[in-house]
Amino acid sequence: MNSASDPPPKDKEPTIAPFPIVGVGASAGGLEAFSKLLGALPIDTGMAFVLVQHLEPSHKSHLTELLSRATAMPVREVGERMRIEPNHVYVIPPNAELGLAERVLHLVPRSVHSGPHLTIDAFFQALAGSEGRLAIGVVLSGTGSDGSQGIRAIKNAYGLTFAQDEGSAQYPSMPRNAVTTGAVDYVLPPAQIAAELARISHHRYLVLPSGKSDDESLPDGEAGLNQILSLLLRATGVDFRHYKQTTFRRRIGRRMLVHRSEDLRDYLAYVGEHPDEVQELYKDLLINVTSFFRDPEAFAALENKVSAIVKNEDIKSSFRVWAPACSTGEELYSLAISVLDVFERDGIRPTVQFFGTDISDRALQVARGGMYTEHSLQNVSAQRLSRHFRKVDGKYQINKGIRESCIFARHDVTRDTPFSHLDLISCRNMLIYLEPVLQKSLMPIFHYALNPSRLLFLGSAETIGSATDLFIPVDSTHKIFSRKPGPSRLIQAFANGRQAGEPWAQVQIETSIGNLELEKLVDRVIQTRYALDCVVIDQNLEIRQFRGHTGFYLEPPAGRATHHLLRMARTGLEYALRETTSRAQQQNQFIERRGIRIEHAGAERIIDL
């Protein structure tokens, strides 16, 4: 018993097993889509549903009352610090955004700015950060692109994603923009979305067994996982054995959920019947979490360090930057803007070269186009937006001058020959997805690639580990390091005849290296004999590799994308290229042409070929 002076006992929150939370976003035409979705849902899925619609901020909303007629589940308008319960529906109030932490909804006043309020993106991103693989995102009818970035965040957090099909949507642009991100798992009418949600509600990937940790419920079985690793290596040339295994298993679990596979054996059987699934799993594994000027304070610190190099050292005729794992290009373009702004401010004009590499062909295609939504530019200042971007069909494209200085290429930093003579490497938020053995193997690569005293820029959660003999911190807070002098550990690897494509971690694998032997030969010839700007072509004059800065000589033509050498040649160069390549093929000897006049940026240049 309590004495009169004892405080009253606190009510304990009931313990509820984790359950999926479904975020549903809509704009124009949303009431009809919401009603069809809720009307087709069973009332006992064990899921909670949070509905986010664009509402007029100054008018009372009747959405809660109207949607209560569509379902027998309780429908409530969200109040401050409202705890989410399964088999309930929660509706956003007017003039607010929603936050989520520990399954408690928070009301966030809408910010005052001139751009669109991306209320759906804000909640989806909070949902992804809070719930991980128990997060589900649904984009229904509406105008604009709200929800697209949030859908990507949910998928990257191992959650499941849906979009309404265009045929059933009153206003299809919002679900269409979500689908174009490549992050949507299902495209269905609202009633079929409801049926799919009901089906997956009892899947083992979403229902965590009592007393088991999250990791214990993930797909397991060494033989099955190794078989998937082998399939990925054979199909893509990428060895995922030293990527974080928890991440790997979560991605497989997500694909099992998409395809109704109850265990790893079922999933392998599905893969055997649908070989394209290996590529879909590969896309899932290539985590795409990026934006312009991610962590603006870190970029400001980096600009100060670049400026210090400019002021204290003699900058050569060029300044070279590499962003491995560049994803869809936002990181490299941010670096280009920062570096170019520093050079203009400090009054120097070196030739600049920016290299972005990744193992995702789809991401590189987006990067080369340089086209982005307004939401991804939220950290770009108004001044930089007007100066470095132009608006095209409702999106923003990076200016041609910067695009031409940025070269994007497929390259596996853990296996392929590294770049060299660089002044800055930015490798942010890749190391955290790699096992320690692979993290450790990358530090000598970066040391080899950088010029003495030049900069390595890492993510906020990353470190150089034990490589203190290779790098010294120059800004520990923002993870900026300087290359220490001394020979590179990779020199010995080259001297010992390391095979092109062999992992730098010295992990032995069985794979065909026919194409990689070609890369090794080309690398040796170019690095030891020529060191010029060049391309490697095949017998059909298709460009297979770009080396150095080729923007002075080649540019993508208007119309259908191509890598044909003659179609990409700048004015004045096509005839000379046609003649010399033909002679080189026919005579099998070195062909040289001097004094060729070409046009670039409105000026004439004389080059040697």
Side-chain angles (χ1 to χ4, degrees):
M1 293 182 62
N2 294 326
S3 68
S5 61
D6 289 335
K10 293 183 178 179
D11 293 332
K12 291 185 177 180
E13 293 287 351
T15 301
I16 302 176
F19 55 89
I21 297 177
V22 184
V24 188
S27 179
L31 176 59
E32 177 189 30
F34 280 151
S35 299
K36 289 182 177 179
L37 176 69
L38 293 177
L41 274 169
I43 63 172
D44 61 349
T45 61
M47 298 174 168
F49 302 88
V50 182
L51 276 50
V52 182
Q53 186 173 23
H54 294 167
L55 300 171
E56 174 58 47
S58 58
H59 290 84
K60 178 177 173 60
S61 171
H62 298 283
L63 192 57
T64 302
E65 177 185 349
L66 294 171
L67 293 177
S68 295
R69 303 170 188 170
T71 179
M73 287 187 286
V75 181
R76 304 171 63 185
E77 185 172 275
V78 176
E80 177 57 22
R81 297 197 59 80
M82 182 174 284
R83 182 167 291 278
I84 295 181
E85 299 178 48
N87 302 316
H88 281 62
V89 179
Y90 301 88
V91 179
I92 189 172
N95 201 31
E97 293 183 356
L98 290 182
L100 177 67
E102 298 180 351
R103 306 194 159 235
V104 174
L105 290 164
H106 303 273
L107 294 179
V108 181
R110 293 211 307 181
S111 57
V112 179
H113 60 79
S114 58
H117 289 276
L118 303 175
T119 312
I120 301 168
D121 275 330
F123 178 69
F124 280 8
Q125 288 168 336
L127 176 63
S130 173
E131 302 305 314
R133 67 184 174 109
L134 295 180
I136 299 174
V138 181
V139 176
L140 299 178
S141 173
T143 59
S145 62
D146 195 9
S148 296
Q149 296 298 318
I151 280 288
R152 291 173 62 181
I154 289 174
K155 183 168 184 177
N156 288 333
Y158 315 103
L160 206 63
T161 55
F162 294 80
Q164 184 173 359
D165 72 310
E166 293 191 27
S168 68
Q170 287 188 42
Y171 297 87
S173 64
M174 205 162 81
R176 182 193 303 134
N177 281 317
V179 171
T180 59
T181 65
V184 173
D185 297 305
Y186 300 92
V187 182
L188 301 166
Q192 291 184 32
I193 292 175
E196 197 63 33
L197 289 170
R199 179 193 67 78
I200 66 175
S201 63
H202 304 294
H203 193 280
R204 58 171 291 180
Y205 183 77
L206 291 178
V207 179
L208 304 183
S210 177
K212 284 193 174 183
S213 69
D214 179 74
D215 290 350
E216 287 179 294
S217 64
L218 293 174
D220 205 355
E222 184 175 354
L225 293 174
N226 284 339
Q227 188 174 345
I228 293 173
L229 285 165
S230 297
L231 289 170
L232 284 164
L233 178 60
R234 191 156 53 242
T236 69
V238 179
D239 183 5
F240 283 97
R241 282 186 297 171
H242 291 283
Y243 284 63
K244 286 285 178 66
Q245 289 305 292
T246 300
T247 299
F248 183 68
R249 291 166 59 206
R250 283 176 177 164
R251 290 293 169 195
I252 294 174
R254 224 191 68 83
R255 298 306 300 173
M256 289 170 55
L257 176 62
V258 169
H259 295 301
R260 305 178 174 89
S261 304
E262 291 297 327
D263 55 37
L264 206 53
R265 185 181 302 174
D266 286 348
Y267 181 65
L268 282 167
Y270 180 88
V271 173
E273 297 172 2
H274 303 83
D276 290 347
E277 171 59 18
V278 177
Q279 291 293 338
E280 294 303 314
L281 174 60
Y282 176 63
K283 292 176 186 176
D284 256 24
L285 287 163
L286 303 183
I287 299 168
N288 176 17
V289 183
T290 187
S291 62
F292 278 91
F293 295 97
R294 194 173 23 157
D295 191 355
E297 292 183 357
F299 267 92
L302 179 67
E303 290 175 18
N304 290 334
K305 299 304 176 186
V306 172
S307 182
I309 290 175
V310 171
K311 293 174 181 177
N312 297 331
E313 301 183 30
D314 291 332
I315 290 292
K316 304 187 299 297
S317 60
S318 68
F319 191 91
R320 294 158 54 89
V321 179
W322 179 28
C326 69
S327 188
T328 46
E330 291 93 329
E331 181 82 4
L332 188 67
Y333 286 134
S334 299
L335 292 166
I337 291 170
S338 291
V339 169
L340 291 171
D341 283 356
V342 167
F343 287 166
E344 180 172 347
R345 186 179 66 221
D346 293 343
I348 66 168
R349 295 182 178 276
T351 300
V352 289
Q353 297 175 315
F354 300 96
F355 305 100
T357 62
D358 204 278
I359 57 175
S360 169
D361 292 320
R362 183 183 179 280
L364 291 170
Q365 184 178 2
V366 174
R368 292 186 185 107
M371 193 85 73
Y372 302 97
T373 63
E374 183 174 11
H375 181 78
S376 64
L377 299 167
Q378 58 186 338
N379 289 329
V380 179
S381 68
Q383 180 184 10
R384 280 177 163 171
L385 188 65
S386 63
R387 182 179 179 190
H388 298 299
F389 295 82
R390 66 189 185 101
K391 202 163 188 179
V392 181
D393 297 330
K395 294 185 177 181
Y396 289 85
Q397 186 176 38
I398 194 83
N399 285 343
K400 185 178 180 181
I402 293 182
R403 292 204 313 276
E404 288 186 341
S405 68
C406 294
I407 298 172
F408 294 96
R410 194 180 194 280
H411 179 274
D412 185 345
V413 65
T414 69
R415 300 171 57 77
D416 294 335
T417 305
F419 289 77
S420 60
H421 304 298
L422 299 167
D423 299 286
L424 169 62
I425 295 176
S426 175
C427 183
R428 304 204 303 150
N429 299 321
M430 182 184 79
L431 298 179
I432 58 175
Y433 298 110
L434 307 179
E435 296 284 4
V437 64
L438 212 51
Q439 293 181 14
K440 186 176 181 180
S441 73
L442 290 181
M443 290 301 124
I445 294 175
F446 295 154
H447 186 264
Y448 165 84
L450 282 168
N451 289 322
S453 303
R454 293 307 195 246
L455 302 175
L456 173 64
F457 188 28
L458 299 182
S460 59
E462 295 169 333
T463 175
I464 59 171
S466 61
T468 53
D469 58 326
L470 302 179
F471 295 97
I472 183 172
V474 294
D475 187 331
S476 299
T477 301
H478 299 109
K479 301 301 177 73
I480 303 173
F481 302 85
S482 175
R483 181 198 190 276
K484 282 187 172 181
S488 169
R489 298 176 190 166
L490 291 194
I491 299 301
Q492 187 62 39
F494 287 130
N496 290 340
R498 172 188 174 274
Q499 297 296 306
E502 181 182 346
W504 293 107
Q506 302 302 311
V507 178
Q508 300 300 318
I509 63 171
E510 295 181 7
T511 182
S512 170
I513 59 172
N515 290 334
L516 298 174
E517 289 290 353
L518 169 63
E519 287 193 12
K520 180 178 73 172
L521 177 61
V522 171
D523 285 334
R524 285 180 178 173
V525 171
I526 291 174
Q527 291 178 6
T528 62
R529 183 174 176 183
Y530 298 110
L532 299 174
D533 298 330
C534 70
V535 292
V536 181
I537 61 174
D538 62 18
Q539 67 270 25
N540 299 315
L541 305 189
E542 290 289 333
I543 298 173
R544 306 303 297 268
Q545 294 181 16
F546 293 86
R547 297 298 174 96
H549 183 61
T550 61
F552 289 117
Y553 320 105
L554 307 173
E555 68 172 344
R560 186 175 180 181
T562 180
H563 274 169
H564 194 277
L565 178 67
L566 301 184
R567 286 201 63 199
M568 294 187 68
R570 289 192 178 276
T571 302
L573 188 56
E574 181 181 356
Y575 175 79
L577 279 172
R578 187 188 303 275
E579 179 197 16
T580 52
T581 53
S582 176
R583 289 175 57 196
Q585 286 179 317
Q586 293 172 5
Q587 301 174 21
N588 192 30
Q589 65 182 30
F590 184 85
I591 305 296
E592 184 177 26
R593 281 281 302 273
R594 293 186 174 274
I596 302 171
R597 298 179 182 273
I598 65 171
E599 294 180 7
H600 176 253
E604 188 178 75
R605 290 188 52 160
I606 299 177
I607 68 165
D608 298 332
L609 173 65

